[in-house]
Amino acid sequence: MFELFSDIFTYRDNALTRIDPRVKLLVALAAIIAVVTAARPILPLGVFVLCLGTIAILRIPAKLVALRLAAPFSTVAILVVIQTFITGTTPLFTLTLGGWTLTAKAEGLRQGLLLGTRVLGAISIVLLLGIATPAHRIFQALRGFRISKDWVEIAILMYRYIFVLMDRAGDLAAAQRLRLGYTAPRRALASFTALAGATVVHSFEQAGRTHDAMRLRGYRGTMPFGPLPALGRRNRGLLVLLLTVIAAAYGFFEWGING
Amino acid sequence: MRAVDVQGVSFTYDDGTEALAGIDFCVEEGEFVAVLGSNGSGKTTLIQLLVGLLKAKSGRIAIGGREIGSLTAEELYQRVGLVFQNPNDQLFAATVEEDCAFGPRNLNLPEPDVQRRVTESLAAVTALSLRGRAIHHLSFGEQKRVSLAGVLAMRPAVLILDEPTAGLDPAGEAQMMQLLKKLNREERMTVILATHSVDMLPLFANRIYVLDRGRVLQQGPSEEIFCHQEMIVRAKLRLPYVSRLMYEMKRHDGVPIDGLPLTIGEARAQLLELIPKEMILPGIEEIGP
């Protein structure tokens, strides 16, 4: 569970972590737009491979990447199956399941693969961004794009207390396990329900204590933030370069191949 | 001038629990005062009243000579700062630097002043190297020191700590107490410490208040407090271990110990007086197997 949220890699020193988070955010946004509007799977697939390659170069453990991609892969699998069997007219093959006859169609499969690669492409961009930038720096960068201060404040507090609550929930779950709380399905359900309830109660108590601590240091309803540093010439140049590359790749793969 | 002056303060929680019953509590500027009491004795209620998190039902509380009710939040929290028992309650920013800067920025200080305060407060708790670290990557001891730095950045005249050594290993406990001693002796900061840990207090505290069920049982210097055995037992506390050993040797073995040593240094001096000089071997550095 901890590995799923772990951000230790974002604190490593490498070429990506050194880039200003505002540049990374803008480039990621442009890449996601390109991926989700792509009319054929080649561009999203290319982005997916590129992101995974970069992640491999950064020496991020494969287990962590697999863990983080498990949910999107499941979504993509479901998406492809559903699209294949409900969309299109050209039959590919037929299956009989429990008295139901299902026909896979070529157009559906193509549509499913396109949607699937879009999902994987976009998710891999977010994954790479999350591996190369600490979450708090992303939130701070959002201030530069005039995102509401309240939203940024809530995001920072959520990010901070996810780890506290995860630790607490982990301790509670271990205590339940040590007293055989998960040895049978019904008992496991009861234990899990109690764990979820206790975590909610802990969250409320934690929120109260944190609010008291904030008040004692002058909190008046808005978290104060330091000034954002100016975007240097190197970062500006990098931003222009990367946006140009994305635009060129989009033009080439979407219009250039047929042209 | 008195740093803290509490006169006849009572507090009862909404469920009817009487936490404090007309207590008097005074701390002079520059003093190091410990509030000693078992669980439920009213320590936490008292410190929450001192920082304005709770409002007294009756009585008077003055901080730095001014009634707590007449102070604005900005004035109050530059006079008094509270370090919570659990650092997770207090460290809400993502990084050490952001957390320490929270208070000074709320005071609307210019950014260079904010940064100066962050540097100074982190240096005071020997945590400058942690400046850029994420809070959730810190050890418990580091979190404790950073939470202290966050409060120091407000530059309060009175520093209140709720069980500052709870959960720390012996080395961390000693480091924390040395830090507090340094702040008190070198920076002349008034320190009020709520605890039920008695062993280190004789070394650091000028005075001790013993609380039991919302009442002050006794107050005075350590040597006065710990010579009242019955009161210590009544407050569900104990003597420091070294004092207990000396007390048992005196009471059961008839060892002629003068008074009651409260620290290892005092006990050592007394024992050395009792042991014949020819029995003392010079230069033994380590205890053998």
Side-chain angles (χ1 to χ4, degrees):
Chain A
M1 186 70 167
F2 182 77
E3 283 160 331
L4 202 58
F5 292 95
S6 173
D7 62 349
I8 50 168
F9 306 104
T10 63
Y11 290 89
R12 282 183 181 172
D13 181 37
N14 57 50
L16 278 185
T17 53
R18 268 177 253 135
I19 300 172
D20 189 288
R22 286 166 290 184
V23 173
K24 286 187 269 190
L25 263 182
L26 281 175
V27 171
L29 188 66
I32 289 172
I33 291 171
V35 160
V36 297
T37 58
R40 53 189 101 206
I42 182 84
L43 180 65
L45 202 60
V47 168
F48 178 67
V49 171
L50 189 70
C51 288
L52 282 194
T54 312
I55 288 169
I57 290 167
L58 293 176
R59 297 189 182 187
I60 308 300
K63 188 186 164 195
L64 178 85
V65 179
L67 210 61
R68 290 187 181 182
L69 284 178
F73 264 119
S74 314
T75 310
V76 167
I78 293 167
L79 202 66
V80 172
V81 170
I82 291 174
Q83 285 289 329
T84 304
F85 287 101
I86 66 166
T87 311
T89 50
T90 316
L92 281 174
F93 56 89
T94 302
L95 281 177
T96 307
L97 278 175
W100 290 75
T101 304
L102 300 167
T103 307
K105 291 134 190 153
E107 296 84 355
L109 180 61
R110 267 199 299 277
Q111 182 68 8
L113 286 174
L114 175 62
L115 290 175
T117 51
R118 281 176 179 172
V119 170
L120 289 178
I123 288 290
S124 64
I125 293 165
V126 175
L127 184 67
L128 182 59
L129 180 69
I131 278 169
T133 322
H136 71 94
R137 294 200 69 200
I138 295 177
F139 300 142
Q140 284 175 352
L142 289 175
R143 285 166 45 219
F145 304 126
R146 306 204 185 283
I147 302 287
S148 153
K149 265 189 167 184
D150 295 337
W151 191 93
V152 175
E153 179 178 330
I154 290 169
I156 286 174
L157 287 171
M158 278 172 63
Y159 170 69
R160 164 74 185 104
Y161 283 102
I162 275 176
F163 295 97
V164 175
L165 290 174
M166 259 170 51
D167 275 352
R168 213 163 277 178
D171 289 345
L172 289 173
Q176 288 178 324
R177 206 167 293 122
L178 290 174
R179 285 181 286 157
L180 310 175
Y182 291 93
T183 45
R186 186 175 283 186
R187 213 174 290 154
L189 182 66
S191 296
F192 184 75
T193 311
L195 174 66
T199 306
V200 170
V201 172
H202 277 307
S203 316
F204 273 101
E205 288 173 350
Q206 180 69 68
R209 288 193 300 267
T210 300
H211 185 244
D212 283 347
M214 291 169 85
R215 272 174 55 204
L216 294 184
R217 288 202 275 156
Y219 180 70
R220 284 167 298 205
T222 311
M223 206 181 244
F225 295 107
L228 283 169
L231 205 58
R233 188 187 293 174
R234 189 176 155 270
N235 275 303
R236 282 202 304 267
L238 193 64
L239 177 63
V240 172
L241 176 72
L242 290 171
L243 290 180
T244 309
V245 168
I246 290 169
Y250 190 81
F252 177 75
F253 287 112
E254 291 304 304
W255 304 310
I257 290 176
N258 285 346
Chain B
M1 198 205 306
R2 280 183 171 162
V4 173
D5 191 4
V6 174
Q7 299 294 333
V9 163
S10 300
F11 187 85
T12 305
Y13 285 99
D14 290 341
D15 64 359
T17 309
E18 188 186 42
L20 293 176
I23 72 157
D24 297 335
F25 176 82
C26 302
V27 180
E28 300 296 331
E29 274 181 6
E31 260 196 309
F32 193 128
V33 170
V35 182
L36 198 57
S38 58
N39 294 334
S41 60
K43 302 188 298 284
T44 301
T45 306
L46 175 63
I47 60 178
Q48 288 192 338
L49 285 164
L50 293 181
V51 295
L53 286 177
L54 295 176
K55 284 197 168 45
K57 308 283 180 198
S58 64
R60 173 182 174 274
I61 300 175
I63 306 287
R66 278 186 62 188
E67 288 266 354
I68 200 167
S70 70
L71 295 165
T72 63
E74 210 165 86
E75 288 169 333
L76 179 61
Y77 301 132
Q78 287 181 89
R79 285 167 185 246
V80 62
L82 171 63
V83 180
F84 285 59
Q85 180 177 347
N86 183 353
N88 278 325
D89 295 344
Q90 193 175 327
L91 300 173
F92 38 79
T95 65
V96 170
E97 181 170 356
E98 285 294 316
D99 199 88
C100 289
F102 179 83
R105 282 189 184 135
N106 278 326
L107 295 172
N108 295 319
L109 296 175
E111 196 55 25
D113 289 354
V114 170
Q115 293 307 320
R116 195 175 313 123
R117 282 199 184 199
V118 170
T119 305
E120 285 170 7
S121 59
L122 284 173
V125 300
T126 59
L128 256 181
S129 60
L130 306 175
R131 191 176 186 136
R133 297 263 299 274
I135 296 286
H136 59 275
H137 290 169
L138 302 180
S139 70
F140 189 74
E142 288 170 338
Q143 286 189 352
K144 280 260 189 185
R145 281 189 285 140
V146 170
S147 61
L148 174 57
V151 174
L152 291 179
M154 293 291 280
R155 303 232 173 115
V158 180
L159 181 66
I160 303 178
L161 302 103
D162 191 5
E163 302 281 3
T165 57
L168 291 177
D169 56 29
E173 193 177 342
Q175 188 185 23
M176 176 58 81
M177 292 306 291
Q178 287 297 343
L179 272 174
L180 297 178
K181 185 180 173 183
K182 193 176 143 212
L183 289 169
N184 176 248
R185 308 282 147 91
E186 290 175 19
E187 313 288 328
R188 300 296 301 153
M189 190 173 271
T190 306
V191 177
I192 300 172
L193 186 145
T195 185
H196 56 238
S197 163
V198 296
D199 289 297
M200 287 206 178
L201 289 186
L203 282 171
F204 300 99
N206 301 121
R207 279 192 305 131
I208 296 174
Y209 274 83
V210 179
L211 255 61
D212 181 46
R213 281 173 285 182
R215 288 171 177 79
V216 176
L217 285 187
Q218 182 124 17
Q219 68 92 10
S222 319
E223 48 276 24
E224 256 180 46
I225 294 295
F226 290 116
C227 70
H228 290 91
Q229 289 280 330
E230 271 181 36
M231 183 271 298
I232 293 290
V233 172
R234 209 172 115 204
K236 299 181 206 73
L237 298 169
R238 63 166 175 79
L239 288 174
Y241 282 123
V242 67
S243 312
R244 182 70 194 265
L245 169 70
M246 300 300 271
Y247 176 74
E248 296 291 328
M249 285 170 74
K250 184 176 178 177
R251 189 175 164 196
H252 299 297
D253 308 319
V255 178
I257 290 161
D258 188 23
L260 189 64
L262 296 174
T263 64
I264 288 178
E266 287 173 15
R268 180 169 169 258
Q270 288 240 359
L271 288 174
L272 280 174
E273 276 180 22
L274 296 171
I275 300 169
K277 292 222 168 9
E278 57 273 19
M279 283 185 69
I280 299 171
L281 300 172
I284 295 178
E285 294 291 331
E286 288 177 17
I287 298 169

